[in-house]
Amino acid sequence: MADFLGVPLPALLGQLMLGLVNGSFYALLSLGLAVIFGMLHIINFTHGALYMMGAMLAWMASAYLGLGYWWSLVFVPIVVGAFAVVIERSLLQWIYKLDHLYGLLLTFGLALIIGGVFRHFFGVGGQPYSIPPELTGAINLGFMYLPKYRAWVIAVSVVVCLATWYMIEKTRLGSYLRAATENPALTQAFGINVPIMVMLTFGFGAALAGLAGVLAAPTTQVSPLMSSDMIITVFAVVVIGGMGSILGSVLTGLGLGLVEGLTKVFYAEASSTVVFVVMVIVLLVRPAGLFGKEK
Amino acid sequence: MNTKVSIAYLAGLALLVAAPTVIYPVLVMKVLCFALFACAFNLLLGYTGLLSFGHAIFLGTSAYVAGYVIKVLEFGPLAGIAVGTVAAGALGWVIGSLAIRRQGIYFAMITLALAQLMYFIYVQAPFTGGEDGLQGIARGSMFGIDLTNDLALYYVVVGFFAAAFWLIQRTIHSPFGQTLKAIRENEQRTISLGYDVDRYKLLAFVLSAAIAGLAGALKALLFGFATLGDIHWHTSGEVVLMTLLGGMGTVFGPVVGATVIVTLQTELSDKVGSLVSVIMGCIFVFCVLVFRRGIVGEGVALYKRMIGEKVH
């Protein structure tokens, strides 16, 4: 069997695949954070809670309503997005004029509330959520077995990220969005309803987090604790990539997933810290972030 | 300090000295540890405009180091407190130098992420005892006083608290503190006036980290253990909440905030379980939306309106 630096090649590739799966979640979450930040100038601390909510809703839909994975994949992001729209209209819209730090504090409080409510009703135990039958099993690529579900997660998130990029950079709606980010007052003067755009942006970013949650549900134990550290890792991803560029945050997310996978193979003890170590290095070498612009 | 603050400070001190006759001293000590922690945090958020979202790491680092010095190296509590405080300050220097490379919201995210990095290191490091924490830190004796007596420890804690609180006030009202406020109000202008803003920020950060460390070492001595809970980001969130609720940028706000939050948590933790974090979250949302001046800030504003001064 082929080896690479003393590690069997299939094992290495398997870990890299797992890393890419994690990277897909980082990419979806940091993309949502970046889109929201661009428009609202709020760092959304609830993002991890929304991700957890996505997974929990998928599990609840299956446990209480008997709705399968495919239903959840479509409807859970919509529900999470709608929930976020309600939050935006009822709470966030009052603080846009304040210092940006208040946005972080408010969403931090909301994350505590959402997490606490789910822990109260569902405990902290993990719930199993099975892979849909269409995606179980693996494909033999000759040099490795590729589990179908992992390939699916990576494919979906890459497609969704690219579609988001296309929508923002190449469509009319996206041009309104960019205009509203650049100069809300002027955009409003041209007859575009900026508050609605802001509301939809927040809902869309949240829906991405919900989608990541549904995708993650079959890969892990679904529990209210699954998000507790995720959001901080994603913050580090965002600091590394810089929030200025959409493709940048996607690439950073996937790349860091790969780095994490590699670390698991060669020095497993550091796998939980490697993203933060990369952040330290980036701060030392290129403080504005890999894709950020120097001010 | 101006006269009103001095009077309030002395009155508060007198209250603290008399408190054990009516209140269980351990509860007051716990409040004082968190109040000191919040005051240290307020020096950064309230007076320099820097939101450090990972401040628990300084509290916890010092608790672990103090515990290690006392329990394993078998030096006394005074050495433990001193070494713990210095260690927190040193870590503050490292984290601060990295975090001040970015401004605003990024600063908050970086401090949070670096604190999480340290958290993962501490989980694996042998000297912290991992999930079990560092247990059985003996109080011992200081200056010939036996600290196993709650009341004796109480007066030692009050002494440290009063000294550190005074130091923070002294800092705020020094030319150094004025520069910090200038940075908070307008960083660009402060730079153009010729101040090396990064040096001021870093020094404020180190000072804040060290005082947070002092609070952590005292807490470790009080309860006899240091655990992962001390360094978890929930604790970082709590100190933000204490400062916000009490009134950021006010002298006594963090003390009031810490008193309310610690009392609430002590009262509620047995009764409502995981709903505690829901309640904390609701207070957060309430404060940000309609109560941004905090308890002390609102009180001062009310007083000013009553005597006919203008409030902006």
Side-chain angles (χ1 to χ4, degrees), chain A residues 37 43 45 91 94-95 98 100-102 104-106 108-110 112-113 116-117 119-120 228-229 232 235-236 238-239 242-243 269 272-273 276-277 279-280 283-284 287-289 295, chain B residues 45 49 51 53 98-99 101-106 108-110 112-114 116-117 120-121 124 232-234 237-238 240 244 248 272 274-275 277-278 280-282 284-285 288-289 292:
Chain A
F37 184 77
I43 280 292
F45 211 109
L91 303 171
W94 307 108
I95 60 162
L98 303 176
H100 300 164
L101 294 179
Y102 283 109
L104 183 69
L105 297 180
L106 181 63
F108 179 78
L110 288 170
L112 287 183
I113 296 175
V117 166
R119 278 204 306 285
H120 181 72
S228 64
D229 293 338
I232 304 177
F235 278 179
V238 163
V239 171
M243 278 186 291
E269 289 85 352
S272 56
T273 51
F276 302 108
V277 174
M279 184 189 81
V280 170
L283 280 174
L284 289 174
K295 263 196 278 184
Chain B
L45 178 61
L51 172 58
F53 225 117
L98 283 167
R101 298 173 77 90
R102 299 286 285 275
Q103 273 90 27
I105 209 82
Y106 281 100
M109 286 197 282
I110 292 167
L112 178 61
L114 290 173
Q116 187 74 357
L117 170 64
F120 283 128
I121 290 175
Q124 292 177 1
H232 196 266
W233 57 270
H234 272 160
E238 273 166 21
V240 182
L244 186 65
M248 57 170 131
V272 295
S274 55
L275 285 182
S277 80
V278 177
M280 296 297 141
C282 290
F284 245 113
V285 171
V288 171
L289 286 179
R292 281 185 293 275

Side-chain angles (χ1 to χ4, degrees), chain B residues 208-275:
Chain B
S208 172
I211 295 173
L214 174 63
L218 290 174
K219 184 168 166 292
L221 203 61
L222 167 62
F223 292 111
F225 56 77
T227 62
L228 290 175
D230 294 340
I231 53 172
H232 196 266
W233 57 270
H234 272 160
T235 310
S236 296
E238 273 166 21
V239 75
V240 182
L241 182 56
M242 289 168 187
T243 310
L244 186 65
L245 176 65
M248 57 170 131
T250 63
V251 178
F252 294 102
V255 181
V256 175
T259 311
V260 174
I261 298 293
V262 171
T263 315
L264 260 184
Q265 279 176 337
T266 317
E267 289 294 312
L268 291 177
S269 60
D270 302 334
K271 292 171 197 148
V272 295
S274 55
L275 285 182

Side-chain angles (χ1 to χ4, degrees), chain A residues 114-282:
Chain A
I114 298 170
V117 166
F118 273 90
R119 278 204 306 285
H120 181 72
F121 287 107
F122 301 99
V124 291
Q127 307 287 350
Y129 187 86
S130 49
I131 297 175
E134 294 86 348
L135 294 172
T136 44
I139 313 161
N140 188 355
L141 295 179
F143 55 93
M144 70 175 288
Y145 281 95
L146 175 64
K148 280 188 200 162
Y149 191 76
R150 289 182 196 167
W152 163 254
V153 169
I154 297 167
V156 170
S157 58
V158 168
V159 167
V160 168
C161 289
L162 286 178
T164 306
W165 171 80
Y166 183 83
M167 188 180 81
I168 293 179
E169 297 293 335
K170 304 287 175 196
T171 65
R172 179 169 286 265
L173 181 67
S175 68
Y176 292 164
L177 205 87
R178 280 178 286 130
T181 307
E182 199 79 21
N183 191 335
L186 198 59
T187 313
Q188 181 94 41
F190 278 120
I192 292 161
N193 192 336
V194 174
I196 294 277
M197 305 279 298
V198 169
M199 181 187 90
L200 291 178
T201 306
F202 191 71
F204 178 75
L208 286 179
L211 176 70
V214 182
L215 287 172
T219 67
T220 174
Q221 293 278 310
V222 179
S223 100
L225 292 185
M226 65 188 280
S227 69
S228 64
D229 293 338
M230 187 73 163
I231 183 69
I232 304 177
T233 312
V234 175
F235 278 179
V237 172
V238 163
V239 171
I240 293 168
M243 278 186 291
S245 140
I246 289 173
L247 285 182
S249 54
V250 174
L251 282 179
T252 314
L254 288 172
L256 284 170
L258 271 183
V259 170
E260 229 178 31
L262 273 178
T263 319
K264 277 212 179 80
V265 177
F266 292 105
Y267 188 60
E269 289 85 352
S271 61
S272 56
T273 51
V274 67
V275 172
F276 302 108
V277 174
V278 172
M279 184 189 81
V280 170
I281 296 169
V282 168

Side-chain angles (χ1 to χ4, degrees), chain B:
Chain B
M1 284 191 240
N2 62 37
T3 339
K4 278 178 203 154
V5 172
S6 300
I7 292 171
Y9 177 74
L10 291 175
L13 209 56
L15 267 182
L16 279 177
V17 170
T21 52
V22 277
I23 317 174
Y24 182 46
V26 171
L27 178 65
V28 186
M29 282 190 272
K30 188 179 175 191
V31 167
L32 285 180
C33 289
F34 277 100
L36 188 55
F37 183 29
C39 286
F41 175 79
N42 187 39
L43 181 63
L44 273 185
L45 178 61
Y47 292 98
T48 323
L50 296 174
L51 172 58
S52 159
F53 225 117
H55 238 51
I57 202 66
F58 305 118
L59 181 86
T61 295
S62 173
Y64 277 125
V65 170
Y68 190 81
V69 168
I70 294 168
K71 189 188 170 193
V72 183
L73 305 181
E74 295 183 344
F75 289 104
L78 193 60
I81 292 171
V83 178
T85 306
V86 171
L91 183 66
W93 186 79
V94 175
I95 290 184
S97 340
L98 283 167
I100 57 171
R101 298 173 77 90
R102 299 286 285 275
Q103 273 90 27
I105 209 82
Y106 281 100
F107 181 90
M109 286 197 282
I110 292 167
T111 45
L112 178 61
L114 290 173
Q116 187 74 357
L117 170 64
M118 294 307 296
Y119 178 87
F120 283 128
I121 290 175
Y122 283 7
V123 168
Q124 292 177 1
F127 79 96
T128 62
E131 301 280 346
D132 299 331
L134 198 59
Q135 310 269 356
I137 302 165
R139 286 184 189 173
S141 63
M142 192 186 288
F143 311 123
I145 308 166
D146 179 18
L147 296 184
T148 47
N149 179 349
D150 277 346
L151 207 57
L153 182 67
Y154 177 80
Y155 286 110
V156 169
V157 171
V158 168
F160 273 111
F161 176 81
F165 190 87
W166 181 83
L167 176 70
I168 293 174
Q169 292 323 304
R170 194 67 203 83
T171 308
I172 291 168
H173 293 101
S174 68
F176 172 73
Q178 298 301 320
T179 314
L180 292 185
K181 279 184 224 166
I183 294 172
R184 178 190 67 187
E185 294 305 322
N186 193 332
E187 187 169 342
Q188 294 305 324
R189 189 172 292 171
T190 316
I191 293 173
S192 69
L193 284 173
Y195 288 97
D196 185 353
V197 165
D198 279 356
R199 260 192 61 214
Y200 280 87
K201 281 190 193 170
L202 184 57
L203 204 54
F205 200 93
V206 171
L207 188 64
S208 172
I211 295 173
L214 174 63
L218 290 174
K219 184 168 166 292
L221 203 61
L222 167 62
F223 292 111
F225 56 77
T227 62
L228 290 175
D230 294 340
I231 53 172
H232 196 266
W233 57 270
H234 272 160
T235 310
S236 296
E238 273 166 21
V239 75
V240 182
L241 182 56
M242 289 168 187
T243 310
L244 186 65
L245 176 65
M248 57 170 131
T250 63
V251 178
F252 294 102
V255 181
V256 175
T259 311
V260 174
I261 298 293
V262 171
T263 315
L264 260 184
Q265 279 176 337
T266 317
E267 289 294 312
L268 291 177
S269 60
D270 302 334
K271 292 171 197 148
V272 295
S274 55
L275 285 182
V276 169
S277 80
V278 177
I279 294 169
M280 296 297 141
C282 290
I283 301 176
F284 245 113
V285 171
F286 171 74
C287 284
V288 171
L289 286 179
V290 295
F291 201 64
R292 281 185 293 275
R293 288 198 194 111
I295 297 172
V296 171
E298 288 293 346
V300 170
L302 187 71
Y303 172 75
K304 279 186 179 165
R305 267 197 295 272
M306 274 163 59
I307 62 170
E309 246 180 78
K310 252 192 141 178
V311 183
H312 50 254

